[in-house]
Amino acid sequence: MNNTTLSLLKSYMRKEHQAIGDLLTSPFPGMETLIETILNAKGRVVFIGIGKSGHIGKKLAATFASTGTPAIFVHGTEALHGDLGMIHVDDIAILLSNSGETQEMLALLPSLKKMGVRQVAFTGYRQSSLAMACELSIEIRVTTEADDLGLAPSSSSTAVLVVGDALALTLSHLKQFTRQNFGLYHPGGTLGKLAV
Protein backbone atom coordinates (compact mmCIF):
# COMPACT_ATOMS: atom_id res chain seq x y z
CA MET A 1 0.00 0.00 0.00
CA ASN A 2 1.53 3.32 -1.03
CA ASN A 3 1.58 6.40 1.20
CA THR A 4 -1.20 8.12 -0.73
CA THR A 5 -3.55 5.16 -0.33
CA LEU A 6 -2.64 4.71 3.31
CA SER A 7 -3.21 8.40 3.93
CA LEU A 8 -6.66 8.13 2.34
CA LEU A 9 -7.55 5.13 4.47
CA LYS A 10 -6.46 6.93 7.61
CA SER A 11 -8.46 10.01 6.66
CA TYR A 12 -11.67 7.97 6.85
CA MET A 13 -10.56 6.45 10.13
CA ARG A 14 -9.90 9.95 11.42
CA LYS A 15 -13.45 11.03 10.54
CA GLU A 16 -14.95 8.14 12.50
CA HIS A 17 -12.55 8.82 15.37
CA GLN A 18 -13.68 12.45 15.44
CA ALA A 19 -17.34 11.42 15.48
CA ILE A 20 -16.72 9.24 18.54
CA GLY A 21 -14.72 12.02 20.20
CA ASP A 22 -17.62 14.41 19.73
CA LEU A 23 -19.93 11.99 21.58
CA LEU A 24 -17.87 12.38 24.74
CA THR A 25 -19.31 15.86 25.26
CA SER A 26 -22.92 14.68 24.86
CA PRO A 27 -25.01 14.78 28.06
CA PHE A 28 -27.06 11.80 26.75
CA PRO A 29 -30.37 12.86 28.33
CA GLY A 30 -32.42 9.78 29.17
CA MET A 31 -29.43 7.45 29.55
CA GLU A 32 -29.65 7.30 33.36
CA THR A 33 -33.33 6.41 33.05
CA LEU A 34 -32.55 3.71 30.50
CA ILE A 35 -29.87 2.19 32.72
CA GLU A 36 -32.23 2.07 35.70
CA THR A 37 -35.00 0.63 33.53
CA ILE A 38 -32.79 -2.18 32.24
CA LEU A 39 -31.38 -2.93 35.69
CA ASN A 40 -34.91 -3.29 37.06
CA ALA A 41 -36.35 -5.17 34.08
CA LYS A 42 -37.69 -8.69 34.49
CA GLY A 43 -37.30 -9.42 30.79
CA ARG A 44 -34.67 -8.99 28.13
CA VAL A 45 -33.34 -6.14 26.04
CA VAL A 46 -34.59 -6.63 22.47
CA PHE A 47 -32.67 -4.81 19.76
CA ILE A 48 -34.65 -4.17 16.59
CA GLY A 49 -33.25 -2.75 13.36
CA ILE A 50 -32.85 -3.19 9.63
CA GLY A 51 -29.96 -2.55 7.24
CA LYS A 52 -26.73 -1.40 8.87
CA SER A 53 -28.63 -0.63 12.07
CA GLY A 54 -29.73 -4.26 12.11
CA HIS A 55 -26.14 -5.47 11.89
CA ILE A 56 -25.20 -3.20 14.79
CA GLY A 57 -28.23 -4.45 16.73
CA LYS A 58 -27.11 -8.06 16.31
CA LYS A 59 -23.68 -7.25 17.67
CA LEU A 60 -25.07 -5.28 20.61
CA ALA A 61 -27.47 -8.07 21.55
CA ALA A 62 -24.53 -10.49 21.60
CA THR A 63 -22.42 -8.16 23.73
CA PHE A 64 -25.23 -7.52 26.21
CA ALA A 65 -25.97 -11.23 26.55
CA SER A 66 -22.34 -12.23 27.02
CA THR A 67 -21.74 -9.59 29.71
CA GLY A 68 -24.70 -10.36 31.93
CA THR A 69 -27.73 -8.58 30.43
CA PRO A 70 -30.12 -10.98 28.67
CA ALA A 71 -30.72 -9.72 25.13
CA ILE A 72 -31.83 -10.82 21.68
CA PHE A 73 -32.01 -9.29 18.21
CA VAL A 74 -35.18 -9.20 16.13
CA HIS A 75 -35.02 -8.06 12.51
CA GLY A 76 -37.38 -5.16 11.92
CA THR A 77 -38.93 -6.53 8.73
CA GLU A 78 -39.37 -10.03 10.15
CA ALA A 79 -40.97 -8.48 13.22
CA LEU A 80 -43.71 -7.12 10.96
CA HIS A 81 -44.40 -10.65 9.78
CA GLY A 82 -44.71 -12.59 13.01
CA ASP A 83 -41.43 -12.25 14.87
CA LEU A 84 -43.04 -9.75 17.25
CA GLY A 85 -44.16 -12.95 18.97
CA MET A 86 -40.59 -13.33 20.22
CA ILE A 87 -41.06 -10.24 22.39
CA HIS A 88 -42.68 -10.38 25.85
CA VAL A 89 -44.39 -7.70 27.90
CA ASP A 90 -41.46 -7.65 30.36
CA ASP A 91 -38.92 -6.93 27.62
CA ILE A 92 -37.47 -3.55 26.64
CA ALA A 93 -37.40 -2.91 22.90
CA ILE A 94 -34.56 -0.72 21.63
CA LEU A 95 -35.32 0.39 18.09
CA LEU A 96 -32.30 1.44 16.04
CA SER A 97 -32.68 3.99 13.25
CA ASN A 98 -30.25 6.79 12.54
CA SER A 99 -32.83 8.88 10.69
CA GLY A 100 -35.63 7.96 13.04
CA GLU A 101 -37.90 7.84 10.00
CA THR A 102 -37.46 4.20 8.95
CA GLN A 103 -40.96 3.05 8.07
CA GLU A 104 -40.49 -0.51 9.31
CA MET A 105 -39.51 0.77 12.75
CA LEU A 106 -42.44 3.16 12.93
CA ALA A 107 -44.86 0.44 11.81
CA LEU A 108 -43.88 -1.70 14.81
CA LEU A 109 -44.81 0.87 17.45
CA PRO A 110 -48.61 0.36 17.58
CA SER A 111 -48.21 -3.38 18.16
CA LEU A 112 -45.43 -2.93 20.73
CA LYS A 113 -47.63 -0.47 22.62
CA LYS A 114 -50.60 -2.84 22.57
CA MET A 115 -48.30 -5.58 23.87
CA GLY A 116 -47.24 -3.32 26.74
CA VAL A 117 -43.56 -3.42 25.75
CA ARG A 118 -41.42 -0.40 26.63
CA GLN A 119 -39.98 1.25 23.52
CA VAL A 120 -36.65 3.07 23.39
CA ALA A 121 -35.28 4.81 20.29
CA PHE A 122 -31.58 4.95 19.46
CA THR A 123 -31.53 7.62 16.77
CA GLY A 124 -29.47 10.46 15.42
CA TYR A 125 -32.29 12.98 15.73
CA ARG A 126 -34.23 13.69 18.91
CA GLN A 127 -37.03 15.34 16.92
CA SER A 128 -37.49 12.37 14.57
CA SER A 129 -40.79 10.50 14.34
CA LEU A 130 -39.33 7.47 16.10
CA ALA A 131 -37.82 9.49 18.95
CA MET A 132 -41.06 11.37 19.49
CA ALA A 133 -43.19 8.21 19.45
CA CYS A 134 -41.10 6.10 21.83
CA GLU A 135 -41.34 6.37 25.61
CA LEU A 136 -37.63 7.14 25.78
CA SER A 137 -35.11 8.22 23.16
CA ILE A 138 -31.32 8.35 23.19
CA GLU A 139 -29.88 10.72 20.61
CA ILE A 140 -26.62 9.44 19.14
CA ARG A 141 -25.81 12.13 16.62
CA VAL A 142 -22.90 12.58 14.26
CA THR A 143 -22.37 15.61 12.05
CA THR A 144 -21.52 13.63 8.91
CA GLU A 145 -20.72 10.16 7.66
CA ALA A 146 -17.09 9.32 6.92
CA ASP A 147 -17.45 8.60 3.21
CA ASP A 148 -16.91 11.17 0.44
CA LEU A 149 -20.64 11.42 -0.25
CA GLY A 150 -21.57 11.77 3.41
CA LEU A 151 -24.19 9.06 2.93
CA ALA A 152 -22.85 5.58 3.72
CA PRO A 153 -23.59 4.50 7.31
CA SER A 154 -20.11 4.65 8.82
CA SER A 155 -19.64 7.28 11.53
CA SER A 156 -23.29 6.92 12.56
CA SER A 157 -23.24 3.14 12.85
CA THR A 158 -19.88 3.20 14.64
CA ALA A 159 -21.29 5.75 17.09
CA VAL A 160 -24.26 3.54 17.95
CA LEU A 161 -21.93 0.57 18.37
CA VAL A 162 -19.66 2.49 20.75
CA VAL A 163 -22.52 3.88 22.83
CA GLY A 164 -24.22 0.49 22.92
CA ASP A 165 -21.03 -1.27 23.99
CA ALA A 166 -20.47 1.33 26.70
CA LEU A 167 -24.03 0.80 27.92
CA ALA A 168 -23.53 -2.97 28.03
CA LEU A 169 -20.30 -2.62 29.99
CA THR A 170 -21.83 -0.10 32.39
CA LEU A 171 -24.68 -2.51 33.12
CA SER A 172 -22.20 -5.36 33.54
CA HIS A 173 -20.20 -3.31 36.05
CA LEU A 174 -23.30 -2.30 38.01
CA LYS A 175 -24.45 -5.93 38.12
CA GLN A 176 -21.01 -6.93 39.43
CA PHE A 177 -20.58 -9.42 36.61
CA THR A 178 -17.53 -11.56 37.43
CA ARG A 179 -14.84 -13.40 35.51
CA GLN A 180 -16.54 -16.61 36.62
CA ASN A 181 -19.83 -15.42 35.10
CA PHE A 182 -18.00 -14.52 31.90
CA GLY A 183 -16.35 -17.93 31.80
CA LEU A 184 -19.70 -19.65 32.31
CA TYR A 185 -21.11 -17.89 29.24
CA HIS A 186 -17.98 -18.67 27.16
CA PRO A 187 -17.34 -22.39 27.64
CA GLY A 188 -15.57 -22.64 24.29
CA GLY A 189 -12.67 -20.77 22.77
CA THR A 190 -9.88 -18.63 24.11
CA LEU A 191 -12.07 -16.10 25.95
CA GLY A 192 -13.56 -18.80 28.14
CA LYS A 193 -10.11 -20.09 29.03
CA LEU A 194 -8.86 -16.58 29.86
CA ALA A 195 -11.79 -15.96 32.19
CA VAL A 196 -11.11 -18.86 34.56
Side-chain angles (χ1 to χ4, degrees):
M1 185 179 298
N2 63 48
N3 286 341
T4 302
T5 306
L6 185 59
S7 176
L8 182 62
L9 182 140
K10 288 186 177 180
S11 73
Y12 298 125
M13 293 172 62
R14 199 171 291 112
K15 288 182 182 179
E16 293 209 23
H17 181 266
Q18 180 63 50
I20 300 309
D22 291 345
L23 288 176
L24 294 174
T25 62
S26 173
F28 287 116
M31 188 63 83
E32 293 276 356
T33 300
L34 177 58
I35 290 170
E36 287 301 317
T37 299
I38 295 174
L39 286 174
N40 294 318
K42 296 178 181 177
R44 304 158 302 177
V45 176
V46 180
F47 289 94
I48 306 174
I50 64 170
K52 304 303 182 292
S53 292
H55 294 301
I56 297 299
K58 285 181 188 177
K59 193 277 180 186
L60 290 179
T63 298
F64 271 59
S66 72
T67 56
T69 301
I72 62 168
F73 170 76
V74 175
H75 192 281
T77 303
E78 298 298 338
L80 290 170
H81 297 277
D83 281 5
L84 273 175
M86 296 180 178
I87 305 173
H88 187 268
V89 65
D90 291 329
D91 293 336
I92 299 163
I94 298 182
L95 295 95
L96 310 176
S97 170
N98 183 51
S99 70
E101 303 298 338
T102 307
Q103 291 305 305
E104 291 88 344
M105 298 293 99
L106 296 172
L108 291 170
L109 294 176
S111 291
L112 288 171
K113 287 178 182 178
K114 286 180 184 177
M115 293 163 64
V117 175
R118 297 199 70 171
Q119 314 103 48
V120 179
F122 274 20
T123 178
Y125 304 92
R126 68 167 59 95
Q127 299 300 321
S128 65
S129 299
L130 185 65
M132 300 296 285
C134 285
E135 298 174 49
L136 183 63
S137 68
I138 305 298
E139 185 181 55
I140 306 172
R141 188 164 192 172
V142 300
T143 55
T144 185
E145 299 292 3
D147 70 303
D148 294 336
L149 302 176
L151 296 173
S154 45
S155 295
S156 62
S157 55
T158 299
V160 174
L161 179 62
V162 169
V163 172
D165 277 348
L167 175 57
L169 300 178
T170 298
L171 292 165
S172 186
H173 175 85
L174 293 173
K175 291 181 174 188
Q176 299 181 330
F177 192 74
T178 66
R179 292 180 70 88
Q180 289 72 29
N181 297 140
F182 191 86
L184 179 65
Y185 293 167
H186 295 79
T190 304
L191 286 179
K193 293 175 183 176
L194 290 173
V196 294

